[in-house]
Amino acid sequence: QYGGKEVLDQAIPAVLERHVAPREVLFDVKEAEVLVQEKTSSKLLCHYPYPTISCVGRCLDSSNVFAFCVAASPESPDGSVFDCLVFASSSEQECEEIIKRIAAGFKHTEWFV
């Protein structure tokens, strides 16, 4: 459904309640995209250009948990299908830095859309 930051308050707990086995990843915020790699092998798990990311924010209950929503099917006519990806950083400071860098990425790429 709608991919605005308002959904994060419900989406983050919903994702965490699924109890999916956590994976250790390397999270790389680039100038035009976000890359997620497997920590042990550096295998690229996914990459998201900023225009596909609809929002980013942190979890209110935990200072080191953050998430972003991505368009799951950008080709759909109304663009209303989103995935919420949830991550835990090693500290509150790191969490804030990642969120700020992704937010800055929105500004860097707004002219490309």
Side-chain angles (χ1 to χ4, degrees):
Q1 52 172 278
Y2 177 68
K5 68 179 184 172
E6 302 81 26
V7 303
L8 292 178
D9 288 338
Q10 295 84 34
I12 293 173
V15 170
L16 294 175
E17 285 171 10
R18 291 185 179 176
H19 301 292
V20 175
R23 296 168 96 172
E24 284 199 52
V25 297
L26 299 171
F27 197 86
D28 194 2
V29 182
K30 299 278 192 191
E31 186 176 0
E33 65 186 347
V34 173
L35 303 175
V36 180
Q37 296 174 293
E38 194 171 63
K39 187 174 183 178
T40 54
S41 68
S42 297
K43 174 186 172 191
L44 183 64
L45 299 173
C46 49
H47 78 283
Y48 299 101
Y50 288 114
T52 65
I53 301 173
S54 64
C55 67
V56 63
R58 76 181 333 165
C59 184
L60 298 176
D61 298 342
S62 178
S63 59
N64 68 326
V65 173
F66 68 96
F68 62 90
C69 292
V70 295
S73 23
E75 67 281 350
S76 69
D78 59 357
S80 63
V81 179
F82 294 89
D83 288 331
C84 180
L85 303 158
V86 179
F87 300 89
S89 61
S90 59
S91 69
E92 180 177 357
Q93 182 178 358
E94 184 180 61
C95 182
E96 277 296 315
E97 180 65 24
I98 292 169
I99 291 170
K100 286 178 183 175
R101 289 186 63 199
I102 292 173
F106 291 150
K107 291 270 186 216
H108 290 307
T109 58
E110 68 186 348
W111 298 107
F112 298 138
V113 181

